[in-house]
Amino acid sequence: MKITAIIPTYNRADFLPQSIASILKQTRGVDEIIIVDDGSNDTTQEVLQHFKTIKIIQTQNNGVSHARNIGIKAAQHEWITFLDSDDIWLDKKIEMQCSFHQMHPDILFSHTNEQWLRDGKKVKYSKNLTKPEGWCFLENMSRCKIAASSVMMHKSIFEHVGYFDEEMRVCEDYDLWLRVALFYEIGLIKEACIIKNSGHEQLSNTIFAIDRYHIKTLLKLLDSSYHDAIKQQICNKCEILIKGALKHHNQEIYETYSKMIRDIQS
């Protein structure tokens, strides 16, 4: 197996060295590292000068989806892995996923469990984020349960289901994983193989009514064989948005998603 690791980054100079180091410390190394700097204006470029063997691509702050897609298209190898620049791989992450795919050659997508840190302290794992495996489209509809930093996938999948949706500011991973789960069995390494850091500024924490983006994804998939379940999930998420709109006196949200429920159910 030949593997490319892709790190999209934007103003993460304080985190980036430890993320890169976690790739270089793997017990089974990757064959290529690509860092896509999405227009950082901090000291990211100074940090990257210390890593001479890594391929660095500069873009102009077009978002994480664009950065990942640039990395995928530039990748030299058939297996793609991702690492967000504020996350860390544990030492045996790649070794364990390679072993899994060698034992299950028909499975072209895998992910792992994760460990969460907030301000350097371990955070208890939410039961709502129990990791899915197998043919698990339905289990993935409620929220994003697959961490991008844990994923290893065959490059041919992108040719089939498409790339990250560059029009989505957030939930771009939820969007892609659902498209993958429509057609592919999902493998799971049950050990925690990555550390996710929280407690610092993250885009997803600044977005109002994030279920709007979940609904946008689900609407794109209505023509699939899961039509009825998707309709129900859209209605569930609309009801959450309506409840929030009533609480915060947001007439636009209330009217938009009340109408959507009527249209979906008609």
Side-chain angles (χ1 to χ4, degrees):
M1 295 176 65
K2 293 283 191 177
I3 302 165
T4 294
I6 297 169
I7 302 180
T9 191
Y10 174 69
N11 287 351
R12 288 280 186 259
D14 291 342
F15 292 92
L16 192 54
Q18 64 182 1
S19 296
I20 296 171
S22 76
I23 297 180
L24 298 176
K25 289 167 58 179
Q26 290 295 300
T27 55
R28 194 286 194 193
V30 301
D31 301 283
E32 178 184 39
I33 302 173
I34 298 175
I35 296 179
V36 184
D37 179 12
D38 190 32
S40 296
N41 53 28
D42 62 356
T43 59
T44 291
Q45 282 304 303
E46 295 173 28
V47 169
L48 293 177
Q49 289 176 6
H50 298 286
F51 299 97
K52 302 298 185 184
T53 61
I54 293 173
K55 183 174 183 178
I56 299 167
I57 300 174
Q58 299 287 335
T59 63
Q60 296 184 353
N61 196 214
N62 293 308
V64 66
S65 291
H66 179 77
R68 289 197 190 114
N69 289 344
I70 289 289
I72 295 162
K73 292 169 185 177
Q76 299 284 317
H77 303 302
E78 61 180 349
W79 287 92
I80 304 295
T81 57
F82 302 102
L83 178 58
D84 288 349
S85 55
D86 51 354
D87 293 341
I88 296 170
W89 284 353
L90 296 177
D91 291 357
K92 292 188 176 181
K93 191 260 189 193
I94 295 297
E95 177 184 341
M96 295 180 75
Q97 282 184 291
C98 285
S99 296
F100 175 87
H101 286 290
Q102 286 163 356
M103 292 175 61
H104 303 90
D106 294 335
I107 297 181
L108 300 180
F109 182 107
S110 70
H111 67 121
T112 79
N113 259 304
E114 63 209 38
Q115 176 183 315
W116 278 83
L117 295 181
R118 179 176 291 118
D119 299 324
K121 297 180 181 180
K122 285 187 178 181
V123 178
K124 190 173 181 181
Y125 199 71
S126 170
K127 291 181 180 180
N128 293 329
L129 289 174
T130 299
K131 297 299 181 183
E133 63 179 317
W135 294 96
C136 54
F137 177 87
L138 294 175
E139 292 89 331
N140 277 291
M141 280 202 302
S142 61
R143 61 193 300 177
C144 187
K145 299 180 180 181
I146 298 174
S149 294
S150 76
V151 165
M152 178 182 286
M153 59 191 294
H154 198 274
K155 202 172 183 181
S156 61
I157 294 177
F158 298 104
E159 298 168 6
H160 181 194
V161 305
Y163 293 81
F164 289 98
D165 186 340
E166 297 183 15
E167 294 184 359
M168 297 191 72
R169 291 182 63 204
V170 291
C171 302
E172 77 292 331
D173 45 359
Y174 169 86
D175 179 89
L176 180 55
W177 310 152
L178 274 184
R179 281 183 274 135
V180 172
L182 273 177
F183 301 102
Y184 294 91
E185 185 175 2
I186 303 298
L188 173 65
I189 287 77
K190 295 183 179 179
E191 291 84 352
C193 293
I194 68 169
I195 295 174
K196 291 197 65 62
N197 284 297
S198 63
H200 56 281
E201 182 180 348
Q202 293 172 299
L203 180 60
S204 60
N205 295 333
T206 67
I207 298 297
F208 166 71
I210 204 164
D211 272 323
R212 293 176 298 155
Y213 293 88
H214 294 151
I215 290 170
K216 182 177 179 180
T217 287
L218 293 168
L219 288 170
K220 294 191 294 186
L221 303 176
L222 268 175
D223 290 336
S224 75
S225 57
Y226 294 100
H227 176 80
D228 291 340
I230 292 171
K231 282 178 60 175
Q232 184 59 56
Q233 188 65 234
I234 291 171
C235 290
N236 293 345
K237 291 187 176 299
C238 285
E239 288 171 359
I240 292 170
L241 290 169
I242 290 167
K243 184 177 179 180
L246 289 170
K247 180 178 179 181
H248 297 287
H249 309 290
N250 189 319
Q251 190 66 20
E252 181 182 359
I253 292 289
Y254 176 81
E255 291 178 357
T256 297
Y257 292 98
S258 296
K259 181 179 184 301
M260 187 173 291
I261 287 180
R262 294 194 297 271
D263 292 344
I264 286 286
Q265 292 178 338
S266 62

